[in-house]
Amino acid sequence: MKQKYINKYRPYPAVVMPQRSWPDKRIEKAPTWCSVDLRDGNQALIQPMNLEKKLEMFRLITGMGFKEIEVGFPSASEVEYEFTRVLIEQNLIPEDVVIQVLTQAREHLIHKTFESIKGAREVIVHLYNSTSVLQRRTVFRMNRREIVELAVKGAQLLKEEEKKYPETRFRYEYSPESFTGTELEFALEVCERVMEVLQPTKENRLIINLPATVELATPNIYADQIEWFCRNMTDRESAIISLHTHNDRGCAVAATELALMAGGERVEGTLFGNGERTGNVDIVTLALNMFTQGVDPELDLSDINKLIDVYERICRLPVHPRHPYAGELVYTAFSGSHQDAINKGMQAYQDGDSGRWAVPYLPIDPSDVGRTYESIIRINSQSGKGGVAYVMDKDFGFKLPKSMHPEFGNVIQRVTDKEGRELQRREIFKTFEQEYLKIDTPYKLKGFHVAKRHISAEIPESRAEIEATLSIDGRDVEIFAKGNGPLDAFCTALKENITGDFRLTSYHEHALEGGSSANAAAYIEIRYPDGLKAWGIGVDTDIIVASIKAVLSSLNRHSNLKPRK
C-alpha cells in the first residue's frame, strides 16, 4: 500500500490493565444465545424477509433451541410491527422462548414498540443509543452529558410504558451502541446511569449489551474491554453482560470467544454470520467450536444441511463452500497426503474403542452435523492414491491392495489431468471397470473347468487339472494343464501354450457382498519378462474363476496398455 494511504490510519489504543485474567480462562459452558437473524440479519438483506419468510425463520431458530430471539424493530416498519403482532396474537411463541424487540432511545419509537408487544407473556425490550466518540462528534453533535441524558430519558420512558401493560413481564436490555469506539469510563458511566433508572436486581438482571458495532481492533482488546467493564461495575451481580460482535476485521468469532473468557455471559449473533457489512458473529461456527472442545452448545446443529437450505432460500445468500463446519467442501480433501491421512484416521477411529474423535484434518465428525462420509474425499488432479482407494472401498466395496494404490492412482491421475476437473464417484468406478474388469483383448475367457482335483492325507499338496477355452483375437483356443491348484494349473497352461513365462508376485481376495452367493474380487499382480508389472482384477461368484479372470485382466493390460513400472 502507498505510504500516503497508510498515514490515514492509526493503531487502536490498548487497554491498560495489568494482571488481566481472561487469558487463563476456558469456555466451559454455553452462553445464553440470542438470535438476531430476524433483526440484524434481516435488515442486512438486499430483499428483506416478508411475513411468511420471517415466520419460517422463527420456526427454524426456535427449533434449534434458541430461548431468546430478537424478532425485529417494530417501530421501524410495518412488516416488523405486523410480525410481532402475529407472533403474539396467534400464540406462536413457545413457552420457554422470550422475544426481544429493539428500539432507539426516542419517545415516539418507544411508544410504538410497546404497542407492538401488547398481550405478550414476557418480552425483552432492547434500548440503545450511540455513545462513540466518532458518532458523538460527526453524527449527533452531542456532548457526553447530552448522550447520558438521552439514555436516561429512554430508560425512564421504558418504566412509564411498562405500567400500561401489567399482563406482561418485562425484561430490559441496554446497548451503548459502538461500545468499542467509546471511552471505557464513559461507556460504564452511561450504563450505570441507565441501571439507576431501571433498578435491576439479582433476580431480574438488566442485560448490558456491549457491542463491537464496528470491529476496530484485535480480539484481545475486545476481551480486555469486557474484563475492564466487569471489574469496574458497581453492581455486577445485577447485570448480564452480553456480547454483540461484528466481523469487519474477520475476527468476530475469536473476539466473542475471548470476551466470553473475560466475563461475557450472553451472545447475540446470526446463523452463518449474516448481518450488516461483513456480518455479525456466526453462531453456528461459535457453537460448533465449543462442541469440538466437549462443551454442549445447547443448540441443535445435528442437521446442518437443513439450516443451510432454509437460510439460503430465505436470505437469498449463499453459504460459502469453505464456511467453517457448513460449507460444501469443508469435509472434503483433494490433496493426496490429506486423503491418505484421513483414510487411515477413519480406519483407526472405527477400529478403536475409546469413542474419542481423532481423525487428521477433521476436527469434527461430519455425521454429528448430519453430513455423510461420502464427500470427505473427492478426486481431482491434486488427489493421491490413498484418496482413490478410499472411494473404491467406501463407495464400491473394492479393497484395493496397498501395493496396487500407486498403479490405479496413476490411472485416475491421467484422467483428471485430461479432464481438468473433479471426477464424480461414478466416473472413477467407470474408469476402474474399463481399466480392469471389462478389458478382454487379446484374451477372453470362454470356458473354464476343473477336470480333476486331488486332496488327500498321503499327498501334502493339492493337485488339479484344468481345461479352459480362450478367445484370442477372435480365435478360440483350448488349453489343458496340471498344477498345484486350479490357478497354478491355468497359469502353467498359459505359459506353455500361449504367453510364455510370467510370474505372479501378489494375490489378494475378498468378498464384495455378504451371503453365500456373494461376488468375490481377486487381485493379482504379475511381473513380465520385460520387467513390467501389471495388476489384474476379476470378479465372480466363484473365487477360483475370479482369480482366472484377474490373470487375464493383467495379461490384457500388459499387452494393450503398457502399464508403468
Side-chain angles (χ1 to χ4, degrees), residues 184-195:
L184 279 173
E185 69 279 2
F186 180 57
L188 180 59
E189 177 189 349
V190 175
C191 291
E192 292 195 330
R193 290 291 302 277
V194 170
M195 291 180 74

Side-chain angles (χ1 to χ4, degrees), residues 31-209:
T32 299
W33 300 108
C34 178
S35 163
V36 294
D37 292 88
L38 291 164
R39 198 272 297 175
D40 253 12
N42 181 45
Q43 73 184 25
L45 299 178
I46 296 172
Q47 183 173 334
M49 303 174 201
N50 58 25
L51 182 60
E52 290 72 24
K53 288 182 176 179
K54 275 180 163 284
L55 287 169
E56 186 174 3
M57 179 62 79
F58 184 78
R59 288 191 292 269
L60 179 72
I61 54 186
T62 54
M64 292 174 63
F66 283 94
K67 303 305 180 188
E68 296 181 5
I69 300 170
E70 191 164 84
V71 296
F73 203 147
S75 62
S77 75
E78 284 306 311
V79 172
E80 305 277 288
Y81 187 96
E82 181 185 3
F83 175 60
T84 307
R85 294 308 309 153
V86 166
L87 289 176
I88 296 168
E89 292 171 3
Q90 297 187 16
N91 197 28
L92 299 177
I93 306 167
E95 287 290 326
D96 59 348
V97 172
V98 179
I99 63 169
Q100 177 172 303
V101 288
L102 181 71
T103 181
Q104 289 177 316
R106 298 169 63 185
E107 184 172 358
H108 70 287
L109 299 180
I110 291 173
H111 287 320
K112 188 167 185 178
T113 299
F114 272 83
E115 289 173 8
S116 74
I117 54 179
K118 181 180 180 180
R121 181 186 68 259
E122 183 175 0
V123 177
I124 298 170
V125 180
H126 182 182
L127 177 75
Y128 79 96
N129 65 297
S130 185
T131 59
S132 73
V133 176
L134 182 60
Q135 295 219 34
R136 293 196 318 255
R137 183 177 71 245
T138 63
V139 179
F140 300 105
R141 300 183 185 277
M142 297 171 71
N143 58 33
R144 283 190 177 193
R145 178 183 56 79
E146 291 170 316
I147 292 293
V148 171
E149 288 176 355
L150 184 63
V152 168
K153 178 62 176 177
Q156 291 170 341
L157 287 169
L158 297 185
K159 297 301 288 183
E160 291 173 12
E161 287 292 309
E162 176 183 330
K163 297 172 185 176
K164 301 176 185 178
Y165 305 92
E167 73 279 10
T168 301
R169 178 182 179 237
F170 287 99
R171 294 169 54 197
Y172 294 112
E173 175 175 349
Y174 175 69
S175 290
E177 189 196 4
S178 299
F179 163 75
T180 50
T182 305
E183 308 93 324
L184 279 173
E185 69 279 2
F186 180 57
L188 180 59
E189 177 189 349
V190 175
C191 291
E192 292 195 330
R193 290 291 302 277
V194 170
M195 291 180 74
E196 289 173 5
V197 175
L198 297 178
Q199 292 293 301
T201 64
K202 294 178 184 178
E203 293 73 32
N204 186 22
R205 296 191 289 168
L206 173 66
I207 299 169
I208 296 291
N209 189 54

Side-chain angles (χ1 to χ4, degrees), residues 271-316:
L271 302 183
F272 308 115
N274 183 31
E276 292 280 19
R277 305 181 311 279
T278 53
N280 293 58
V281 68
D282 173 13
I283 285 184
V284 173
T285 299
L286 192 58
L288 287 173
N289 280 357
M290 295 178 191
F291 181 65
T292 67
Q293 304 303 301
V295 175
D296 182 0
E298 300 178 14
L299 291 175
D300 184 359
L301 300 164
S302 61
D303 189 355
I304 205 162
N305 287 336
K306 176 184 176 182
L307 303 185
I308 295 168
D309 290 344
V310 175
Y311 168 84
E312 290 187 333
R313 177 164 42 78
I314 289 178
C315 299
R316 300 187 180 184

Side-chain angles (χ1 to χ4, degrees), residues 301-366:
L301 300 164
S302 61
D303 189 355
I304 205 162
N305 287 336
K306 176 184 176 182
L307 303 185
I308 295 168
D309 290 344
V310 175
Y311 168 84
E312 290 187 333
R313 177 164 42 78
I314 289 178
C315 299
R316 300 187 180 184
L317 292 172
V319 172
H320 194 279
R322 299 293 183 190
H323 194 105
Y325 304 109
E328 178 189 357
L329 299 177
V330 297
Y331 303 111
T332 296
F334 290 104
S335 161
S337 61
H338 287 205
Q339 291 174 343
D340 183 60
I342 290 171
N343 191 7
K344 292 174 179 175
M346 292 287 290
Q347 190 62 53
Y349 173 70
Q350 292 163 4
D351 293 344
D353 56 8
S354 70
R356 297 288 185 180
W357 179 255
V359 173
Y361 302 112
L362 292 178
I364 189 174
D365 185 341

